[in-house]
């Protein structure tokens, strides 16, 4: 494999290629082609290379910089680049036809902590667990090049390279191929809104960043510039073409600064749909957005950007508040009786309503014509666990019964449900924020900044792990030996049963908002709900159609009236699944209905007709 060395470097007066072939290093002068620099046929597979930049402001780099589009960084983000040959991999997924998001169950995992090995191959060894669980799509936290050995992935600086400690690009292809062989789709989390603090050499080459427009994590990416825009879109295409992924999760798209009428998100959706047509299989773009703006997921012909789905934190907040009782920070607005029923039936809680956390009105309603599967929902995810002071999971504070209720709320949602790795068995391990910045000053600043943030919010500094301490990373690794023990085994069996029931029950995957109705109620003088029910199915507006009721009792016992007569006049209500043997369904004598009695912290799914 021989190829040109090419780099976009409009800020350079001259560019030279630094090439290491075998043990011999050489300098190759590059030719200017507009703002690009080229050295024809200068690279072979096995070479290490970088670029030496001369500019009007300096006499040139003494050390070669890695390729902004480097496909491999064998020695880390500060080292030389290497070529990757996608065509050399022997794929076995020619028969793979993909998996649509509609009707699917997702599973979010972090390669470094999912298996004891912390590699793609280690994760492959655990894929059969996901198949047995009933998962359809695996979502990986970012795997692009990042400084250090371990990291969440959101500090990445090399978007085209796969983190070498995980197994590099070849390991990634083995993982995707193994997933497809088991019927699992792969969604890759990508970060286009910022770059990490170590190893970001892009500003030396060109105007990749908007210094005057910073977001939470640093300077914004200059996606309005044609070449930077192409840099992003080519990277998006790379995941589909060279790595066969089935979808991308776009991190924090609200931090992308662009023209709303010519937005990069629409360009991403168009690029993805074009590739989907060519590959003849569904490809999915899922946005993480803080905007509660349905424009992201509306079709382009209706004035939207045409993304396929977005995360919905509102539904998470409603579930979390209902089962934990927490009402501080952004949970405050969700400590209300109607929060869970509103997010369950309408998608967003803040749909133009006042947000006390933001101190302003926030969001827009989701049009009822939008299919419910376009919202991805969850009871836990990497952010909602890892951004807590101690990185504690729900399993570290809730009872088995509370965790069972949470599972029912998550997996009977009208939306696309997602699990975070280990949630299915109530993993005892935390998932705290962790980094491994080799630079002492950066590591110290990261640790001190995080500690100060939580102390300011009133947390005891003793409970906040040091993200730079290797023990913090080790503590996040799943303990797979827990699966067969007591509470863990029972929770795992419940999750399997819930996913199987969701797959077997068309009412539970019905994507029409019109076929969903939810209600909550609580005791007098209480803002927290004591009971919740959600009706699913066409039977809401058609007496001859199917209907399923999901009923939940929170902190106290509750009874639920069930309309339980089918069109033939026969009483038809029956319990499909319950988290407790004490659920009691009794048909009412002489009446067209039944009554379901549930003890505190339990749930049941009832076939109404």
């Amino acid at each position: 494999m021989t190829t040109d060395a090419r780099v976009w470097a409009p800020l350079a007066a001259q560019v030279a290629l630094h090439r290491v072939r075998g043990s011999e290093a050489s300098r190759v002068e590059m030719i200017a082609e507009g703002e690009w620099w080229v050295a024809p046929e200068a690279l072979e597979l096995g070479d290490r290379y970088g670029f030496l930049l001369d500019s009007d402001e300096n006499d040139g780099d003494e050390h070669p910089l890695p390729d902004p589009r480097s496909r491999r960084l064998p020695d880390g983000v500060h080292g030389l680049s290497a070529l990757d040959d996608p065509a050399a991999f022997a794929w076995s997924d020619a028969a793979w036809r993909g998996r649509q998001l509609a009707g699917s169950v997702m599973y979010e995992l972090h390669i470094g902590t999912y298996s004891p090995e912390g590699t793609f191959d280690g994760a492959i060894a655990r894929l059969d667990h996901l198949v047995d669980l009933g998962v359809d799509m695996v979502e990986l936290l970012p795997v692009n090049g990042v400084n250090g050995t371990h990291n969440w992935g959101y500090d990445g600086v090399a978007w085209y390279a796969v983190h070498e400690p995980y197994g590099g690009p070849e390991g990634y292809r083995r993982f995707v191929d193994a997933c497809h062989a088991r019927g699992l789709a792969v969604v890759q989390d990508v970060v286009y809104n910022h770059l990490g603090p170590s190893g970001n050499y892009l500003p030396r080459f060109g105007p990749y960043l908007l210094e005057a427009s910073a977001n939470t994590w640093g300077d914004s990416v200059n996606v309005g510039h044609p070449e930077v825009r192409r840099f992003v879109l080519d990277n998006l295409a790379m995941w589909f073409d060279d790595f066969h992924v089935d979808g991308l999760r776009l991190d924090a798209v609200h931090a992308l600064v662009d023209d709303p009428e010519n937005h990069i998100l629409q360009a991403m959706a168009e690029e993805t749909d074009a590739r989907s047509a060519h590959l003849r299989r569904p490809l999915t773009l899922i946005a993480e957005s803080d905007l509660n703006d349905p424009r992201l997921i509306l079709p382009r012909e209706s004035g939207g950007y045409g993304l396929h789905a977005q995360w919905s934190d509102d539904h998470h907040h409603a579930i979390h508040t209902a089962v934990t009782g927490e009402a501080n920070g952004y949970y405050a607005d969700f400590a209300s009786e109607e929060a869970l029923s509103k997010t369950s039936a309408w998608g967003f809680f803040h749909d133009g309503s006042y947000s006390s956390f933001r101190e302003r009105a926030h969001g827009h309603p989701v049009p009822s014509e939008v299919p419910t599967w376009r919202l991805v929902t969850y009871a836990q995810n990497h952010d909602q666990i890892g951004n807590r002071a101690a990185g504690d999971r729900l399993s570290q504070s809730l009872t088995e019964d509370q965790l069972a209720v949470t599972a029912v709320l998550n997996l009977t949602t009208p939306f696309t449900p997602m699990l975070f790795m280990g949630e299915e068995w109530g993993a005892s391990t935390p998932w705290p924020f962790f980094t491994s910045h080799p630079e002492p000053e950066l590591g110290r600043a990261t640790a001190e900044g995080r500690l100060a943030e939580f102390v300011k919010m009133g947390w005891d500094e003793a409970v906040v792990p040091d993200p730079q301490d290797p023990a913090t990373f080790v503590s996040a690794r799943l303990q797979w030996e827990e699966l067969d023990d007591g509470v863990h085994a029972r929770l795992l069996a419940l999750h399997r049963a819930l996913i199987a029931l969701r797959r077997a029950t068309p009412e539970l995957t019905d994507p029409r908002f019109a076929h969903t109705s939810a209600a909550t109620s609580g005791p007098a003088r209480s803002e927290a709900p004591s009971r919740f029910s959600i009706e699913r199915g066409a039977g809401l507006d058609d007496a001859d159609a199917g209907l399923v009721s999901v009923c939940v009792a929170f902190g106290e016992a509750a009874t639920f009236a069930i309309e339980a007569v089918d069109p033939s006049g026969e009483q038809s209500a029956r319990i499909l699944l319950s988290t407790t043997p004490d659920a009691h369904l009794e048909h009412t004598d002489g009446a067209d209905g039944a009554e379901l009695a549930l003890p505190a912290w339990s749930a049941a799914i009832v076939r109404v007709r």
Side-chain angles (χ1 to χ4, degrees):
M1 175 184 176
T2 302
T3 188
D4 297 347
R6 296 177 57 87
V7 66
W8 180 60
L11 301 183
Q14 182 61 49
V15 181
L17 173 70
H18 174 84
R19 182 181 64 197
V20 178
R21 181 170 293 168
S23 58
E24 183 178 344
S26 59
R27 176 187 176 103
V28 180
E29 297 300 329
M30 302 184 74
I31 304 166
E33 293 185 356
E35 295 182 337
W36 286 77
W37 296 83
V38 182
E41 300 292 315
L43 292 175
E44 296 179 356
L45 202 63
D47 289 348
R48 301 288 178 91
Y49 72 98
F51 298 109
L52 298 164
L53 306 182
D54 289 347
S55 71
D56 295 333
E57 299 178 359
N58 61 59
D59 295 329
D61 288 312
E62 297 181 3
H63 302 286
L65 303 181
D67 187 349
R69 292 175 177 245
S70 175
R71 295 301 189 92
R72 280 197 66 202
L73 290 167
D75 301 313
V77 298
H78 296 291
L80 294 175
S81 300
L83 298 180
D84 169 51
D85 183 8
F89 185 78
W91 290 95
S92 64
D93 67 348
W96 173 249
R97 290 295 174 261
R99 191 171 294 284
Q100 65 177 16
L101 186 63
S104 290
V105 173
M106 301 187 70
Y107 188 95
E108 185 186 33
L109 68 85
H110 176 263
I111 288 295
T113 53
Y114 182 65
S115 71
E117 300 84 0
T119 62
F120 294 119
D121 290 335
I124 289 171
R126 304 288 177 174
L127 289 180
D128 289 340
H129 165 78
L130 301 183
V131 175
D132 292 341
L133 180 60
V135 165
D136 302 292
M137 307 180 88
V138 180
E139 180 179 309
L140 298 185
L141 268 68
V143 299
N144 54 303
V146 61
N147 199 22
T149 57
H150 54 267
N151 190 289
W152 275 21
Y154 298 93
D155 285 333
V157 291
W159 292 354
Y160 283 77
V162 176
H163 194 47
E164 286 290 323
Y166 290 163
E170 285 298 287
Y172 191 91
R173 292 187 180 97
R174 289 195 298 272
F175 176 82
V176 175
D177 203 43
C179 283
H180 289 172
R182 291 163 173 81
L184 297 169
V186 177
V187 175
Q188 180 58 58
D189 194 342
V190 291
V191 183
Y192 295 135
N193 56 65
H194 76 285
L195 289 112
S198 179
N200 175 19
Y201 296 106
L202 295 185
R204 303 280 296 276
F205 289 87
Y208 282 92
L209 302 179
L210 288 170
E211 296 181 4
S213 176
N215 56 47
T216 303
W217 307 282
D219 292 335
S220 299
V221 178
N222 187 14
V223 293
H225 191 291
E227 288 292 354
V228 179
R229 196 178 190 87
R230 193 68 255 166
F231 182 76
V232 171
L233 296 177
D234 286 351
N235 181 260
L236 175 144
M238 176 197 76
W239 294 106
F240 297 132
D241 295 345
D242 295 348
F243 293 109
H244 291 202
V245 304
D246 303 281
L248 299 176
R249 182 262 191 186
L250 308 174
D251 180 66
V253 300
H254 49 271
L256 290 169
V257 179
D258 202 11
D259 177 2
E261 302 308 315
N262 185 34
H263 204 281
I264 184 68
L265 291 176
Q266 179 167 329
M268 290 179 187
E270 292 170 349
E271 192 90 15
T272 300
D273 290 346
R275 271 174 164 70
S276 176
H278 176 68
L279 297 172
R280 294 184 297 166
R281 59 183 174 90
L283 300 177
T284 302
L285 286 186
I286 304 170
E288 180 202 17
S289 172
D290 186 44
L291 302 175
N292 280 21
D293 185 355
R295 180 176 184 178
L296 273 64
I297 54 175
L298 289 177
R300 292 187 289 279
E301 55 267 30
S302 298
Y305 291 156
L307 300 176
H308 306 100
Q310 72 170 85
W311 278 22
S312 176
D313 275 349
D314 278 14
H315 194 57
H316 164 271
H317 298 346
I319 292 176
H320 185 92
T321 304
V323 298
T324 68
E326 290 187 25
N328 56 310
Y330 50 69
Y331 291 128
D333 291 344
F334 297 86
S336 62
E337 183 181 306
E338 73 277 4
L340 184 57
S341 58
K342 183 176 181 181
T343 61
S344 296
W346 299 101
F348 294 152
F349 181 77
H350 288 303
D351 53 6
S353 62
Y354 182 76
S355 166
S356 62
F357 182 72
R358 300 174 180 88
E359 299 183 330
R360 57 176 169 80
H362 181 68
H364 303 273
V366 180
S368 60
E369 297 81 9
V370 172
T372 57
W373 57 261
R374 289 193 183 277
L375 297 182
V376 175
T377 55
Y378 31 82
Q380 301 181 73
N381 65 32
H382 76 276
D383 268 334
Q384 302 301 335
I385 300 171
N387 283 329
R388 295 172 66 83
D392 52 313
R393 296 171 179 263
L394 292 179
S395 56
Q396 293 171 273
S397 58
L398 299 186
T399 67
E400 177 184 353
D401 289 340
Q402 290 173 311
L403 292 172
V405 163
T406 303
V408 171
L409 292 172
N410 187 29
L411 290 170
T412 60
T413 173
F415 314 113
T416 299
M418 185 177 74
L419 296 166
F420 181 68
M421 62 177 198
E423 177 183 351
E424 69 273 23
W425 76 78
S428 65
T429 48
W431 207 77
F433 180 68
F434 49 79
T435 55
S436 60
H437 298 304
E439 302 93 338
E441 290 185 2
L442 178 57
R444 185 164 54 252
T446 300
E448 292 175 353
R450 188 166 180 85
L451 180 61
E453 176 185 351
F454 284 111
V455 169
K456 184 178 180 180
M457 291 188 291
W459 287 89
D460 179 354
E461 64 179 66
V463 307
V464 183
D466 179 356
Q468 282 285 111
D469 186 344
T472 302
F473 168 66
V474 172
S475 74
R477 287 180 179 155
L478 291 176
Q479 302 298 317
W480 286 88
E481 61 271 16
E482 293 179 335
L483 262 70
D484 299 323
D485 293 341
V487 171
H488 300 298
R490 292 192 294 274
L491 284 171
L492 178 58
L494 173 63
H495 279 82
R496 284 173 175 159
L498 282 166
I499 294 174
L501 182 63
R502 183 179 180 90
R503 184 171 292 176
T505 308
E507 290 83 358
L508 293 180
T509 51
D510 189 327
R512 289 164 284 191
F513 274 105
H515 291 175
T516 297
S517 174
T520 48
S521 62
R525 298 182 302 280
S526 173
E527 293 184 341
S530 63
R531 45 179 278 159
F532 166 79
S533 63
I534 181 170
E535 315 294 324
R536 305 286 314 282
L540 280 171
D541 53 23
D542 182 353
D544 295 332
L547 189 65
V548 168
S549 182
V550 180
C551 303
V552 177
F554 292 107
E556 58 185 55
T559 58
F560 301 82
I562 305 293
E563 181 185 344
V565 176
D566 68 18
S568 67
E570 297 293 326
Q571 292 181 325
S572 59
R574 67 184 187 278
I575 295 176
L576 300 177
L577 183 148
S578 174
T579 64
T580 172
D582 296 325
H584 182 66
L585 180 66
E586 181 176 350
H587 288 84
T588 308
D589 292 338
D592 295 342
E595 185 175 84
L596 173 70
L598 290 176
W601 291 114
S602 67
I605 303 170
V606 178
R607 163 66 70 187
V608 177
R609 60 177 180 272

